[in-house]
Amino acid sequence: MAYAITRTCCNDASCVSVCPVNCIHPTPEEPEFGTTDMLYIDPQACIDCGACADACPVDAVYPVDRLRGPDVVFGDLNRDWYRDHPNDHAWGAPSFPRSLPDEVGPLRIAVVGTGPSAGYTAQELLRCTGAELTMIDRLPVTGGLLRHGVAPDHQSTKRIAESFASVFHDPRLRMHLNLEIGTDVSHEELAAHHHAVVYAVGAAADRRLGVPGEDLPGSLPATSFVGWYNADPTVPADAVELSAERVVVVGNGNVAVDIARILLTDPEVLAATDIADHALAALRRSRVREVVLLARRGPEQAAWSRTEFLALGRLPGVELVVEDHPQVRAAIEAAAPDSRAGLLAGLPLVRRDDSAEPGPGRRIVLRFLSAPVELTGADGRVCGLTVERTAPAAGDGRPEGTGEYETLAAGLVVRSIGHRGVPVPGLPFDERAGTVARRGGRVVDPATGRPLPGAYVVGWAKRGPSGGIGANRACARETVDALLDDALAGALPEPSAGRAEFERLVRRRRPDAVGLKELRAVDRAERERGAAQGRPRVKLATVAELLAAGRRR
């Protein structure tokens, strides 16, 4: 018997550090770590100790002989990875946790954000230093993308939040939620009360298509759709209308796959998750029967991970098909079996009239080499999407249009072509990259390239919207290392005011700011509501509801 890692792998590499025989790869030190869909256990080297399963924060590791149903394939995937990536499992130079000498003195550090990158940053700071931490979030609840981005049918992935719960309850940490930097408190004021400020604010905006009709009702970004089904209090309950039979999702990354899966999953299956009540009600009365995943590139450049794609093909009662096209067919036939395009081998290739309503049954259609050029409307909302056929491009080049146009009938179009960071008031912003201007983990002045003393960045606000939850662990370590180097060099500015003064400032500026006690009350209320319905939790979906629950502590 050996162990295998399954599709819920979060890539945070907790398993790597506890493996006594170094049989889990790629490790954070290896080049493949930045691009791999998941980590893999070598069945020949595994000694069946189970340490990896105990350490995994998302329950992704199982003995191979206990894999059942659709998870059986992961035993083969783990084995096959080592066929293509031979490894002698030799240990490299040991890495020891850093710490600060006593002469550095006590530090006060603020972390803006409470999502995965913030959680990993706080974990690292509490482990390596004796610092007092302040965590801040603009919403009255913690979690970031763990709460408002992970699909509700991925409950095991959300368990990583439990590892952050102990961080939030650490006696050295104070929490101020429902507090927005730039509106309630400025960066300068935050910096005046702390030796360092780490921004973990993510990438809250979406990328636009830049085509006519994009702002019609019935056209919306994936950030809104995902926030809608995850009870993000910034997204209205009526943001999504599911009266059409066909939905087009522009994009084919993991978020696009999530949206397609949620739209066609049996609502009674979702009723056992923490999906927003308003989304569950809408899905129960939904008329959607077909979801088209639209990609301007060919199948070789598909952006979804292998694990998410495999799950897409296992939806009961849902057919997964590929829109037939000579160049798409050729790419699939020429592809290696374990490549993105190779995974499409065996799926039906069909040619249909998408200008009409979809035929009977429920299906997901993978349509490649199709670029959106215009959203058309009728009666004040979207009724179709005009696309132009594209020719495959070499490498990462932009595919060229062929002059062949077609209009797909669709009552809802969701653009899922990536996130983009938004400027943080008081910090320099790199417009081209859509991130805080930075070098490594340090915020820098773009004009001079010099670091802004005491200002740091982590996560998607630092590296752009790439990498899953676990990628934030190595990212946080790099930023914390930069902060510790500056502390040792005496480069951190001395704050002019203390923790008590900052808390008075918060109470004065934002009397309804939420602390740990209120957060516990919200968590308790949501879990109690969930227990009454046989669900993990029933989320409170508005700021008013969250604040009211916090006051009932």
Side-chain angles (χ1 to χ4, degrees):
M1 183 188 76
Y3 281 75
I5 298 176
T6 63
R7 74 182 183 94
T8 57
C9 177
C10 71
N11 286 30
D12 90 334
S14 294
C15 55
V16 173
S17 61
V18 300
C19 177
V21 292
N22 194 31
C23 73
I24 304 175
H25 295 271
T27 69
E29 293 73 35
E30 294 169 338
E32 299 93 346
F33 184 81
T35 58
T36 187
D37 293 340
M38 56 186 287
L39 307 185
Y40 302 88
I41 299 174
D42 185 350
Q44 298 300 317
C46 177
I47 61 173
D48 305 340
C49 68
C52 53
D54 292 338
C56 179
V58 294
D59 291 345
V61 186
Y62 290 92
V64 171
D65 63 354
R66 296 184 189 174
L67 296 176
R68 297 290 184 270
D71 285 340
V72 170
V73 68
F74 290 101
D76 296 333
L77 290 178
N78 277 256
R79 181 196 65 226
D80 292 347
W81 192 85
Y82 288 91
R83 177 195 63 205
D84 302 325
H85 302 82
N87 197 299
D88 62 9
H89 306 303
W91 286 99
S95 176
F96 298 102
R98 294 188 64 178
S99 60
L100 291 176
D102 292 341
E103 56 265 27
V104 170
L107 298 177
R108 287 197 307 279
I109 301 171
V111 179
V112 182
T114 60
S117 61
Y120 282 121
T121 299
Q123 274 185 345
E124 192 76 7
L125 287 168
L126 290 170
R127 181 176 66 91
C128 294
T129 74
E132 294 180 337
L133 299 189
T134 303
M135 292 195 80
I136 295 168
D137 201 297
R138 64 189 177 89
L139 295 178
V141 67
T142 59
L145 281 182
L146 267 179
R147 179 180 172 98
H148 299 126
V150 176
D153 58 345
H154 284 359
Q155 288 297 304
S156 58
T157 301
K158 297 190 179 196
R159 288 184 193 136
I160 200 168
E162 297 172 6
S163 67
F164 297 142
S166 60
V167 172
F168 298 155
H169 289 76
D170 190 284
R172 287 187 282 147
L173 186 148
R174 301 285 177 87
M175 190 171 288
H176 300 288
L177 309 178
N178 201 36
L179 181 74
E180 188 162 9
I181 303 304
T183 301
D184 303 313
V185 177
S186 69
H187 165 70
E188 291 75 16
E189 289 171 322
L190 191 58
H193 293 80
H194 298 86
H195 293 86
V197 183
V198 183
Y199 284 89
V201 293
D206 63 279
R207 296 187 182 275
R208 293 179 61 83
L209 296 171
V211 301
E214 187 171 9
D215 294 319
L216 281 168
S219 167
L220 69 159
T223 49
S224 294
F225 196 98
V226 171
W228 172 77
Y229 65 59
N230 272 322
D232 185 331
T234 66
V235 179
D238 61 355
V240 177
E241 168 63 51
L242 300 179
S243 60
E245 294 187 340
R246 179 182 290 121
V247 174
V248 176
V249 181
V250 182
N252 64 358
N254 282 347
V255 174
V257 167
D258 281 348
I259 292 170
R261 192 182 63 252
I262 293 299
L263 280 168
L264 293 179
T265 293
D266 183 347
E268 300 316 308
V269 172
L270 296 174
T273 74
D274 65 349
I275 190 170
D277 277 352
H278 57 252
L280 182 60
L283 289 164
R284 280 176 165 150
R285 59 178 183 268
S286 169
R287 298 183 64 232
V288 176
R289 293 189 292 108
E290 180 174 289
V291 180
V292 178
L293 292 177
L294 193 78
R296 68 170 68 241
R297 301 179 188 276
E300 309 95 320
Q301 291 86 29
W304 30 254
S305 67
R306 180 188 306 184
T307 53
E308 289 301 312
F309 177 77
L310 291 173
L312 197 63
R314 298 177 187 136
L315 288 178
V318 178
E319 185 182 22
L320 181 62
V321 303
V322 180
E323 181 75 15
D324 197 8
H325 184 275
Q327 290 170 313
V328 171
R329 182 185 292 268
I332 295 173
E333 291 174 350
D338 59 350
S339 67
R340 293 289 194 275
L343 290 175
L344 305 181
L347 292 180
L349 280 85
V350 299
R351 184 64 179 164
R352 301 148 333 110
D353 179 10
D354 284 339
S355 64
E357 292 298 318
R362 296 187 301 153
R363 70 190 60 80
I364 295 171
V365 182
L366 305 176
R367 180 173 177 134
F368 298 97
L369 300 178
S370 299
V373 295
E374 182 179 8
L375 279 74
T376 56
D379 300 323
R381 65 174 293 113
V382 165
C383 68
L385 174 66
T386 300
V387 301
E388 181 183 13
R389 281 290 183 188
T390 61
D396 293 329
R398 186 179 180 87
E400 295 292 331
T402 63
E404 302 173 68
Y405 296 91
E406 185 178 348
T407 298
L408 285 64
L412 177 63
V413 176
V414 182
R415 60 181 182 272
S416 182
I417 55 174
H419 292 69
R420 178 178 171 81
V422 297
V424 177
L427 295 186
F429 188 71
D430 184 337
E431 286 287 351
R432 183 173 181 180
T435 64
V436 173
R438 52 83 187 174
R439 185 171 62 249
R442 296 178 177 90
V443 178
V444 300
D445 181 339
T448 65
R450 295 175 181 170
L452 271 64
Y456 303 86
V457 64
V458 70
W460 282 6
K462 165 187 170 185
R463 65 182 191 274
S466 63
I469 291 171
N472 291 296
R473 189 179 188 187
C475 180
R477 185 169 294 129
E478 179 189 51
T479 294
V480 171
D481 279 345
L483 190 157
L484 297 182
D485 287 342
D486 292 345
L488 286 169
L492 296 182
E494 189 66 25
S496 58
R499 170 176 273 190
E501 287 86 355
F502 182 71
E503 292 182 352
R504 284 195 290 270
L505 175 66
V506 170
R507 287 195 297 271
R508 187 168 66 251
R509 297 282 181 79
R510 195 68 192 242
D512 58 351
V514 170
L516 180 58
K517 290 181 179 179
E518 291 86 355
L519 180 65
R520 285 172 171 165
V522 168
D523 181 64
R524 186 166 56 250
E526 291 186 338
R527 290 182 184 275
E528 288 173 354
R529 296 175 72 198
Q533 300 181 29
R535 302 170 62 184
R537 69 172 65 235
V538 173
K539 290 178 179 175
L540 300 166
T542 67
V543 170
E545 290 175 319
L546 290 163
L547 293 178
R551 287 192 293 267
R552 289 195 294 268
R553 65 183 185 274

